[in-house]
Amino acid sequence: MNNFKSKISLALLLISGAFMSSCSESFLDVSSKTEPNSENYYKTESQALRALYGCYDGWRQVSSNPGAYSFLMASSIMSDECYGGAGVGDGYGAQLIDRFDKAAAPSEMNVFEQEWKVYYAGVFRCNTLIVSDPNIAWEDETNHTRIMGECRALRALLYFDMVRLWGNIPLFTEPSNDNKEQADPQDVYALIFDDLRYAIDHIEADDNLGENNYGRITKYAAEALFARAYLFYSGYYGAEPVYSDGTSINRQEALAAVEDVIAQGKYELVSDFKNLWPAASLVPVKGSTGWDQEKSTYAGDYNSEVILAQNFTPTQNYDGDNDANRWLVNLGMRNINASPYGKGWGIATLTPSYFRQFFDARDVRRTASAIDLAAEGVTSVSDYNSGYKDWREYTGLNFKKYTPLVFDNGLPATNPDGTADFMINNAQPWVIVRYADVLLMAAELGSPNANEYLNRIRSRAGLPHAEANKQNILDERARELAYEGIRYWDLLRQGVEVMADAVVRSGGTVQNGGKNAEIAYDKAKIIATKGLSQIPANQISLSHGVLKQNPGW
């Protein structure tokens, strides 16, 4: 068994302010003998590699330097998986996101402002390296194309999150502080597919594989993301996407991408589903720090099923060094420690309706995916009453795949000796793509092996075989990929009404500070937003009205 520990497999270096989107043209043009800038940097291959690490850091900061609601959290809250949650005295931003209704929190008009800034800062870094490509003295062409392939895939990842979340966004393909109008989403997706195709074609088959490269983009990660983007675009927009030259992308091209991932045999399912998740497979040492090495079965951050993960380290501080998983504490049980589950802020409580609909007693994923507080004895721990009375939209169910950890002696398991901050030093990776997802995408895209792929997943879960029709595949995705930030986009790509119906059905009884309350949704308001999120009002003001708010907000 691999111990649960933080690994700095990739030195995601924070490069100087020359990469930041907030920098002015005059700052970038200041001559310096000691600090890298746009004039004296991007000249050598080693500088390009260092700049690539800065691009990875820019991508990581969407999770290590987020505002109140990271992409995974927002995706979960908007879906039928979760309510908004949080504390009874907190603001209602989570409820605004959950209800698709600005009336839920009229003053919360900038809930995604930090995300907007950090995503565009990451794009700025990628664009700066990409436009500098012709000026770099490359020593090795393989290194050249791999570095640029990774950089372009990172830009695609950033834009893919943004265009799904906000739909109508400015498109930048070079470093710029221009006040640009929002682009046609088709053009944003064209760039995404261009970038992913470049990565697929230019990152060699064995590049970036192995534990020392954990967190880096591979050819296979790019192929999986290509299929994911195709499924979303073709479903949500009801049309085939295109490359920037106008060439159409069809279902067969997307299928070929994931079939290649499968055929190359670089990945396989972890034999026991719970071993994918630290909280489901780590057993604490009684009365001490550490995990029982004989009883714990965690497969490790780096395992056979992970195709792409966003990697973190537990060294974040309050001085602007951002490298930890900052949203994880938000998903923890509200001020309740029940080892191995650590306390947090109780955002995104799980809906009982989703849990009942998709998990039956035979399914091993039921207990590996969600914490059932009553069934697991959490309601008997000393912290429970105070946490429960301070919890909004409590349902008795909480994240298990992603949750803070605490040792049996009550110290946070953010580092081996329990001395790191429980709020800012969590380092569990966010798994962006698993092999199970690839198998299910291939089945949905029409692989002749669809039945085999679907039933590999079901067999591991302890379920009988089923026919690989579209509904069965989508239902299996709901079980297998629950609480991983994927469900909402799977719903939305089936149509806004399908998404809205699922969200409306998830309403029900919760407890606010221990008192019963009802959650209900207005389907018309959800549909009015087209499933898109609110563009930060401050950004619209700063643009002097060039940016336009999304419908329904």
Side-chain angles (χ1 to χ4, degrees):
M1 182 203 77
N2 292 318
N3 296 335
F4 176 61
K5 58 184 180 180
S6 296
K7 300 184 291 293
I8 307 178
S9 304
L10 174 62
L12 298 177
L13 303 174
L14 179 60
I15 311 302
S16 77
F19 296 105
M20 297 302 293
S21 65
S22 59
C23 298
S24 66
E25 293 254 348
S26 59
F27 173 80
L28 291 177
D29 291 336
V30 170
S31 178
S32 172
K33 303 273 186 202
T34 60
E35 296 295 329
N37 57 55
S38 60
E39 293 299 320
N40 67 20
Y41 210 65
Y42 307 102
K43 300 297 184 185
T44 68
E45 187 173 297
S46 63
Q47 289 175 335
L49 181 60
R50 186 175 172 86
L52 176 65
Y53 294 158
C55 295
Y56 273 103
D57 183 75
W59 174 51
R60 180 173 63 182
Q61 286 204 39
V62 305
S63 294
S64 63
N65 188 24
Y69 306 101
S70 69
F71 186 82
L72 179 139
M73 289 172 58
S75 300
S76 302
I77 292 169
M78 291 188 293
S79 77
D80 56 343
E81 297 169 298
C82 298
Y83 299 133
V88 293
D90 289 339
Y92 286 84
Q95 283 64 45
L96 178 148
I97 295 169
D98 181 48
R99 313 294 202 271
F100 296 82
D101 186 1
K102 62 184 179 183
S107 63
E108 298 277 2
M109 302 306 292
N110 294 291
V111 290
F112 290 119
E113 184 167 33
Q114 177 67 2
E115 282 71 28
W116 182 280
K117 292 177 180 178
V118 174
Y119 269 100
Y120 272 110
V123 167
F124 187 97
R125 295 185 186 198
C126 294
N127 282 340
T128 302
L129 177 54
I130 290 167
V131 301
S132 300
D133 182 4
N135 303 320
I136 297 170
W138 297 101
E139 300 168 18
D140 181 276
E141 185 58 21
T142 300
N143 291 340
H144 172 199
T145 55
R146 184 189 68 249
I147 288 170
M148 299 313 298
E150 289 178 73
C151 183
R152 291 184 64 166
L154 288 167
R155 183 171 69 175
L157 275 163
L158 291 162
Y159 269 127
F160 189 34
D161 283 358
M162 287 194 289
V163 75
R164 282 183 293 169
L165 193 61
W166 294 299
N168 304 294
I169 59 173
L171 177 63
F172 294 90
T173 57
E174 57 185 29
S176 170
N177 289 320
D178 290 347
N179 186 13
K180 296 188 72 172
E181 295 181 354
Q182 290 139 301
D184 185 327
Q186 183 185 65
D187 295 334
V188 180
Y189 276 97
L191 181 72
I192 291 168
F193 286 111
D194 283 351
D195 282 349
L196 292 174
R197 175 47 62 190
Y198 183 95
I200 292 166
D201 292 342
H202 290 88
I203 300 176
E204 297 291 334
D206 290 333
D207 280 350
N208 296 338
L209 295 177
E211 186 167 5
N212 289 338
N213 289 309
Y214 179 73
R216 290 185 72 163
I217 305 288
T218 63
K219 173 187 177 74
Y220 309 112
E223 287 177 322
L225 291 166
F226 188 98
R228 182 179 288 178
Y230 173 83
L231 282 167
F232 184 79
Y233 184 93
S234 60
Y236 181 70
Y237 293 100
E240 298 283 59
V242 297
Y243 293 111
S244 59
D245 66 2
T247 303
S248 181
I249 302 165
N250 61 35
R251 197 175 191 85
Q252 287 306 309
E253 187 173 356
L255 174 59
V258 280
E259 289 281 35
D260 185 61
V261 178
I262 297 166
Q264 297 305 312
K266 306 295 184 182
Y267 306 95
E268 62 183 5
L269 297 178
V270 167
S271 59
D272 190 337
F273 181 81
K274 72 178 175 58
N275 295 344
L276 287 163
W277 314 106
S281 57
L282 290 172
V283 178
V285 177
K286 293 295 184 183
S288 180
T289 57
W291 308 112
D292 188 314
Q293 298 300 300
E294 293 184 0
K295 297 178 181 178
S296 297
T297 57
Y298 180 47
D301 296 351
Y302 171 78
N303 62 65
S304 65
E305 192 162 336
V306 175
I307 295 175
L308 179 63
Q310 197 172 59
N311 203 11
F312 305 97
T313 58
T315 57
Q316 184 146 338
N317 56 41
Y318 291 102
D319 297 323
D321 298 319
N322 301 304
D323 56 21
N325 185 338
R326 285 299 304 276
W327 47 259
L328 197 68
V329 70
N330 290 299
L331 302 178
M333 298 181 297
R334 183 78 183 176
N335 288 322
I336 300 171
N337 275 331
S339 185
Y341 315 132
K343 66 182 177 182
W345 307 139
I347 297 175
T349 54
L350 307 189
T351 64
S353 60
Y354 188 90
F355 188 72
R356 290 192 301 264
Q357 179 181 355
F358 289 110
F359 296 112
D360 65 34
R362 300 171 300 170
D363 195 330
V364 301
R365 295 168 297 194
R366 178 187 177 96
T367 54
S369 300
I371 303 169
D372 184 333
L373 276 72
E376 297 191 43
V378 176
T379 55
S380 300
V381 303
S382 58
D383 291 341
Y384 175 73
N385 282 335
S386 59
Y388 167 68
K389 291 177 181 177
D390 189 41
W391 207 338
R392 180 187 295 155
E393 298 178 350
Y394 170 85
T395 65
L397 296 168
N398 213 73
F399 270 79
K400 186 180 286 189
K401 287 183 176 179
Y402 292 109
T403 193
L405 299 173
V406 65
F407 295 125
D408 190 68
N409 61 5
L411 293 177
T414 47
N415 68 354
D417 61 11
T419 58
D421 192 313
F422 83 95
M423 293 186 291
I424 67 169
N425 293 128
N426 292 291
Q428 181 183 345
W430 177 15
V431 179
I432 307 296
V433 182
R434 288 198 285 120
Y435 187 55
D437 189 5
V438 167
L439 292 172
L440 291 170
M441 285 193 290
E444 185 177 350
L445 286 164
S447 170
N449 301 312
N451 277 302
E452 176 196 346
Y453 296 160
L454 172 65
N455 288 300
R456 279 195 216 174
I457 306 296
R458 291 181 60 83
S459 293
R460 179 174 68 171
L463 298 180
H465 282 210
E467 180 189 353
N469 59 47
K470 184 173 182 178
Q471 191 59 55
N472 283 345
I473 294 167
L474 289 170
D475 286 348
E476 203 60 40
R477 290 180 64 82
R479 286 183 281 266
E480 176 69 22
L481 305 171
Y483 319 126
E484 296 182 43
I486 292 174
R487 167 66 173 177
Y488 178 71
W489 311 108
D490 278 356
L491 284 172
L492 191 56
R493 65 183 173 88
Q494 296 174 64
V496 176
E497 291 217 6
V498 171
M499 178 275 288
D501 283 337
V503 170
V504 169
R505 285 195 301 271
S506 72
T509 302
V510 297
Q511 281 79 49
N512 292 338
K515 298 179 180 179
N516 280 355
E518 292 295 321
I519 291 182
Y521 298 90
D522 186 327
K523 180 179 175 181
K525 287 187 175 180
I526 298 173
I527 291 175
T529 69
K530 301 182 180 179
L532 302 177
S533 294
Q534 179 189 57
I535 293 173
N538 283 346
Q539 294 299 312
I540 295 173
S541 296
L542 288 169
S543 76
H544 301 292
V546 172
L547 296 180
K548 307 300 181 186
Q549 186 57 270
N550 280 327
W553 294 105

